[in-house]
Amino acid sequence: MKHPRATGWGDHVSCFCSACRPKSAISRRELLCTSAASAIAASTAIIGTTHAQQPMPGAVPGRPLLIKDGCVLSLDRAIGDFERADVLIEHGKIAAVRPNIAAADAEVIDAARMIVAPGFVDTHRHMWQGILRNVLPDGSLDDYIATVQKTFGANYTPDDVYAGDYFSALGAIDSGVTCILDWSHIHNTPAHTDAAIKALMDSGVRAVFAYGNAQTTDGRWWEAKGSKYPDDIARLRKQYFSSEDQLVTLYMAAPSGASEQILPSFKAARDVGARITIHVGVGERGRAALLEKLNAADALKSDTTYIHCCTLNDTEWKLIRDTGGTISIAGYVETLMGHGSPPIQKAIDIGIRPSLSVDVETSVPNDFFAQMRTVFSLQKKDVWDRRLAGDKNPPKFLTVREVLEFATIEGARANGLDRKIGTLTPGKDADIILLRTDRLNVMPMNNAVGAVVTSMGPQNVDTVLIAGKVMKRNGQLVGVDFGRLARLGDEARDRLYASANVKNTRI
Ligand SMILES: [Zn+2]
């Protein structure tokens, strides 16, 4: 086998098998340099084309892929579900979904004893925090702002942003999240921005990069000296996002606070045709009728996703619905950190189907199975409580299928990508997950949707395709050097703790 030889960390490197890897040990300088560009180049090397023992499906460009004999949940009501069917993929797109597809020239992925479904879609995650996983398992929202934003965030370098985004993206893919909105408010300088975008693009995940403000030690992001927020979005549109037909697309992450600070972000977004995402209705801070004020400035449109919405008033809810907005519920963090009750029933009652999100990996598991189970159980608890309290006309219980739709097609809608992803529909991009049913948490399989929503976890995610590219196969991420990945994470974490002057006991 011919191995393209790596000539240096700054070069394009396509092979990281032991034969091609540079012989010298990786130095801190090489892996995590002080300049964003060099650190990014080094970090990019973690994913390369590895020499697998067997050819990886999809390795031959242009050759169709056939996912064969799976239990297919298309989530497209016109297509339906199949106890056993095939999915044909051509040029990264879904070409057909039906039983017994004949495609003699296709590479076959055997999906017997697998559930084949659309990948999960996360509509709000602060991915720069991917190196701060679990730092605040017991923290409130105020603790989070003090520790994660003002202490760590203010001290982030572009290298740290790269590492955080990269870990978060790979973790998403590993757990079956194929599309993720990076709610990115770490833009202390434009170099931080470039690092975040590079990490998303290097990871191979389908991402929506939502450009947000800086972090500072006092929370006054608008005074951050190096920040170019929000106007730098014009450069980003030109430099990175000139096409909508690419794997990473652009949003504006608008700050919360006074409407006069928010409106310039809305304008800058719309000037470049970027959709908007904003946190609203969060705890006591969320009771300021902000959406009424923004509406008075004629700023609410269908291009905006509203996150949390726990403490909005009824007028604000109607404004979201009437202007065609989408919402993102992060049920786990909302119950954990004091945002208020996840407004699942409220959204359903007013006629809005929510999307789901992880939010912060500092306190929340990174997988979507936990998110689905959180909203499912909370909605049922609320209905049961009402029944027990004598309510003669309680709402209907959510079903597992509805929750799976929240995690897929509703996410695609909120991320502005429902024409491309979210269901297994011919013509859409092939963002597909294969979930093992021959695992002890679900076998023997009796109810596919029930298995996914109530019992499965990341350990069931066998195969992940994004735009037809195989990102995970046989339970392993494709082409990831875990030794190097671990060093990238450890070094970034240690440097960040040192610069933030925080002692890390690891316990
Ligand atoms: Zn958030």
Side-chain angles (χ1 to χ4, degrees):
M1 191 178 288
K2 193 167 186 315
H3 296 229
R5 175 69 191 169
T7 55
W9 288 105
D11 299 331
H12 174 73
V13 178
S14 60
C15 176
F16 279 82
C17 71
S18 57
C20 295
R21 192 175 300 160
K23 293 290 179 282
S24 58
I26 304 168
S27 71
R28 181 187 178 87
R29 167 75 192 163
E30 284 170 323
L31 196 61
L32 287 163
C33 307
T34 50
S35 79
S38 54
I40 289 164
S43 308
T44 306
I46 290 166
I47 289 186
T49 305
T50 52
H51 297 293
Q53 299 303 310
Q54 302 162 335
M56 187 56 60
V60 181
R63 189 169 175 193
L65 277 173
L66 185 63
I67 300 172
K68 191 95 190 124
D69 293 334
C71 173
V72 177
L73 305 176
S74 76
L75 298 185
D76 180 329
R77 288 173 191 173
I79 292 173
D81 305 331
F82 302 88
E83 186 181 347
R84 179 177 291 228
D86 306 337
V87 179
L88 180 65
I89 299 157
E90 293 177 339
H91 305 295
K93 292 184 185 299
I94 297 166
V97 181
R98 62 172 187 272
N100 303 315
I101 295 174
D105 57 336
E107 285 182 90
V108 173
I109 295 177
D110 179 9
R113 291 191 177 272
M114 306 257 197
I115 292 168
V116 182
F120 301 123
V121 182
D122 187 332
T123 56
H124 149 238
R125 196 183 303 191
H126 306 288
M127 294 173 71
W128 58 271
Q129 297 162 12
I131 52 172
L132 289 173
R133 287 169 168 167
N134 318 120
V135 295
L136 271 183
D138 301 317
S140 67
L141 186 57
D142 287 342
D143 297 331
Y144 165 83
I145 291 168
T147 302
V148 177
Q149 296 190 343
K150 294 180 178 175
T151 303
F152 285 119
N155 284 289
Y156 256 61
T157 64
D159 298 357
D160 302 332
V161 176
Y162 184 94
D165 264 66
Y166 197 64
F167 267 86
S168 193
L170 291 191
I173 298 168
D174 194 41
S175 63
V177 174
T178 52
C179 177
I180 183 165
L181 184 140
D182 179 15
W183 214 103
S184 191
H185 54 345
I186 190 63
H187 300 296
N188 306 353
T189 70
H192 290 67
T193 312
D194 296 334
I197 294 168
K198 185 80 165 71
L200 295 175
M201 290 181 169
D202 286 349
S203 74
V205 77
R206 186 185 300 277
V208 176
F209 175 72
Y211 174 57
N213 55 265
Q215 294 299 331
T216 60
T217 53
D218 59 4
R220 297 170 69 84
W221 56 263
W222 55 94
E223 293 177 355
K225 286 191 177 60
S227 171
K228 294 260 183 4
Y229 182 84
D231 295 337
D232 204 31
I233 197 168
R235 172 182 72 90
L236 305 182
R237 171 62 86 196
K238 207 169 156 193
Q239 187 171 342
Y240 297 110
F241 303 103
S242 56
S243 166
E244 285 297 310
D245 193 22
Q246 56 187 51
L247 211 53
V248 184
T249 47
L250 180 65
Y251 266 48
M252 176 70 89
S256 300
S259 55
E260 53 270 24
Q261 287 184 313
I262 296 169
L263 289 169
S265 293
F266 275 49
K267 181 177 184 319
R270 288 169 177 152
D271 283 349
V272 299
R275 289 170 56 98
I276 297 162
T277 172
I278 184 169
H279 296 76
V280 296
V282 180
E284 281 303 326
R285 297 176 181 88
R287 296 191 196 275
L290 172 64
L291 295 188
E292 293 184 59
K293 293 169 191 161
L294 292 175
N295 185 57
D298 200 25
L300 304 186
K301 301 189 191 309
S302 63
D303 60 2
T304 301
T305 297
Y306 304 90
I307 302 163
H308 299 311
C309 306
C310 303
T311 52
L312 295 182
N313 65 41
D314 286 350
T315 303
E316 292 176 291
W317 273 102
K318 288 188 188 113
L319 285 170
I320 294 175
R321 180 194 60 197
D322 295 346
T323 56
T326 47
I327 72 164
S328 174
I329 291 178
Y332 194 100
V333 84
E334 289 153 10
T335 50
L336 207 69
M337 282 188 157
H339 296 58
S341 288
I344 309 154
Q345 193 59 49
K346 186 78 188 174
I348 293 166
D349 286 345
I350 207 155
I352 300 173
R353 310 299 284 178
S355 68
L356 307 181
S357 58
V358 164
D359 196 351
V360 288
E361 292 180 59
T362 56
S363 313
V364 177
N366 78 333
D367 70 90
F368 247 47
F369 301 97
Q371 292 301 328
M372 289 192 290
R373 285 199 268 284
T374 299
V375 297
F376 186 59
S377 59
L378 285 174
Q379 193 270 351
K380 290 207 154 194
K381 176 197 174 297
D382 286 349
V383 177
W384 282 119
D385 281 351
R386 285 168 70 160
R387 287 181 171 216
L388 286 168
D391 188 337
K392 295 283 183 267
N393 190 26
K396 285 196 302 184
F397 289 112
L398 266 182
T399 65
V400 284
R401 181 172 293 275
E402 288 177 287
V403 174
L404 188 56
E405 288 174 350
F406 297 166
T408 53
I409 182 60
E410 296 305 336
R413 225 184 294 287
N415 281 357
L417 293 166
D418 48 306
R419 70 189 162 81
K420 294 186 86 165
I421 58 167
T423 57
L424 302 186
T425 304
K428 285 193 176 184
D429 285 7
D431 287 14
I432 299 174
I433 54 176
L434 273 60
L435 305 168
R436 298 195 75 103
T437 63
D438 58 351
R439 288 290 183 268
L440 284 170
N441 58 350
V442 290
M443 68 187 293
M445 215 264 286
N446 293 300
N447 177 326
V449 182
V452 175
V453 175
T454 65
S455 294
M456 283 189 170
Q459 70 270 37
N460 296 90
V461 180
D462 178 86
T463 299
V464 176
L465 282 77
I466 298 178
K469 185 174 178 191
V470 179
M471 307 299 294
K472 185 178 184 183
R473 183 78 183 116
N474 300 322
Q476 299 292 325
L477 288 181
V478 174
V480 173
D481 182 332
F482 271 87
R484 290 189 167 201
L485 189 61
R487 270 176 285 172
L488 172 71
D490 288 351
E491 293 216 24
R493 177 202 57 205
D494 292 348
R495 183 184 56 244
L496 177 60
Y497 270 81
S499 60
N501 199 22
V502 177
K503 187 171 166 43
N504 189 348
T505 63
R506 309 262 169 89
I507 294 171

